């Protein structure tokens, strides 16, 4: 069951997703409500399970390889399980999502350099059942609310 969220809840959640350590007083000023109201709203969101927890976001420029790419994959259905198994064992696989539309899966790869990315794309494209791939290298993140 999807919880009912109003505009104020949405604003509080967006602020917390951008910076979970944002002081309550700052949230109150930005949203335009009292500090005690913010505290009560956050507590209610936690109790209702909307906020499942708080985490740490590492500076990816310092700790992660430099090249990331989205790869759209069109796959014959009978080969999907084997493809998923193969991609799961690759350390460069960040996410794999089944999607609707012209492609079947959206893969996110994280590689140390473009040579590694190029080799991986060749390997993936040569797998049984892979009909087509389409790759977009990620240049920069403009908005990152990765908690969703």
């Amino acid at each position: 069951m999807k919880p009912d969220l109003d505009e104020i809840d949405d604003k509080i959640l967006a602020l917390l997703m951008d910076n979970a350590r944002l002081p309550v007083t700052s949230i109150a000023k930005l949203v335009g409500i009292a500090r005690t109201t913010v505290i009560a709203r956050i507590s209610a969101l936690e109790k209702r399970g909307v906020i499942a927890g708080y985490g740490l976001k590492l500076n990816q420029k310092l700790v992660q390889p430099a090249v990331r790419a989205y790869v759209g994959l069109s796959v014959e259905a009978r080969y999907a399980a084997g493809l998923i198994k193969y991609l799961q064992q690759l350390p460069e696989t960040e996410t794999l999502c089944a999607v609707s539309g012209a492609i079947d899966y959206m893969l996110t790869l994280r590689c140390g350099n473009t040579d590694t990315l190029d080799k991986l794309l060749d390997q993936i494209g040569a797998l049984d059942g892979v009909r087509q791939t389409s790759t977009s290298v990620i240049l920069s993140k403009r908005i990152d609310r990765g908690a969703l």
Side-chain angles (χ1 to χ4, degrees):
M1 181 174 155
K2 187 176 178 182
D4 291 325
L5 302 175
D6 63 16
E7 186 177 332
I8 292 171
D9 290 334
D10 288 339
K11 288 179 181 179
I12 292 170
L13 290 171
L15 289 167
L16 289 173
M17 284 188 286
D18 286 339
N19 180 3
R21 295 183 62 166
L22 191 64
V24 172
T25 54
S26 298
I27 295 171
K29 286 179 186 175
L30 291 166
V31 176
I33 59 176
R35 183 184 66 79
T36 55
T37 305
V38 171
I39 293 169
R41 292 257 186 166
I42 291 172
S43 178
L45 291 166
E46 290 170 344
K47 287 178 185 165
R48 290 168 40 205
V50 175
I51 297 175
Y54 299 89
L56 175 72
K57 190 180 287 189
L58 298 174
N59 183 338
Q60 293 185 9
K61 291 179 184 175
L62 298 178
V63 297
Q64 297 293 332
V67 181
R68 293 178 67 233
Y70 296 122
V71 182
L73 300 167
S74 295
V75 179
E76 293 178 40
R78 64 184 173 154
Y79 292 100
L83 173 72
I84 293 168
K85 188 175 182 177
Y86 174 79
L87 294 173
Q88 193 164 20
Q89 60 86 29
L90 287 178
E92 293 86 2
T93 297
E94 187 175 83
T95 61
L96 178 67
C97 301
V99 296
S100 63
I103 61 171
D104 302 302
Y105 295 97
M106 183 58 72
L107 169 67
T108 307
L109 293 174
R110 182 186 307 272
C111 301
N113 54 57
T114 55
D115 288 339
T116 303
L117 176 61
D118 187 40
K119 289 175 188 168
L120 273 176
L121 293 172
D122 287 344
Q123 291 170 8
I124 292 166
L127 292 172
D128 287 338
V130 175
R131 290 190 300 247
Q132 181 180 352
T133 65
S134 173
T135 304
S136 296
V137 174
I138 301 170
L139 301 176
S140 67
K141 285 187 183 180
R142 301 299 168 102
I143 298 172
D144 184 6
R145 294 187 178 145
L148 294 177

